[in-house]
């Protein structure tokens, strides 16, 4: 299922979506705050570290371990 479309009503690429999110973040002055918030929300909703790394574009899960919640 497609959730994001370009102005031409075509599938929006991952890179294009990332650029939109970065631009919105810049305009809202929340660039440094979005990814930690997103990462914690994903973990709270049951996303595992490997999937989170893939979602955030990280090649190593150790980057995401700082967001790991204590059980």
């Amino acid at each position: 299922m497609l959730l994001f479309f370009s102005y031409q009503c075509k599938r929006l690429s991952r890179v294009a979506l990332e650029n939109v999110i970065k631009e919105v973040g810049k305009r809202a002055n929340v660039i440094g705050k979005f990814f930690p918030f997103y990462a914690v929300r994903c973990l709270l909703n049951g996303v595992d570290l490997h999937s989170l790394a893939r979602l955030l574009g990280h090649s190593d899960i150790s980057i995401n371990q700082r967001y790991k919640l204590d059980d």
Side-chain angles (χ1 to χ4, degrees):
M1 178 168 71
L2 297 175
L3 297 176
F4 300 101
F5 297 93
S6 70
Y7 290 113
Q8 296 84 23
C9 293
K10 296 182 180 177
R11 182 180 180 168
L12 195 63
S13 71
R14 185 178 76 104
V15 172
L17 181 58
E18 288 174 2
N19 289 337
V20 168
I21 291 171
K22 285 178 187 175
E23 183 60 31
V24 169
K26 274 194 241 179
R27 290 181 186 192
N29 196 26
V30 294
I31 282 294
K33 300 170 188 168
F34 176 73
F35 285 108
F37 175 80
Y38 178 73
V40 169
R41 291 290 148 213
C42 283
L43 293 171
L44 285 172
N45 285 293
V47 175
D48 64 276
L49 284 174
H50 292 284
S51 297
L52 181 61
R54 198 172 61 229
L55 285 169
L56 296 177
H58 299 152
S59 59
D60 185 0
I61 68 162
S62 65
I63 296 169
N64 301 318
Q65 288 181 328
R66 69 181 119 186
Y67 305 121
K68 189 170 184 315
L69 307 171
D70 293 327
D71 296 324

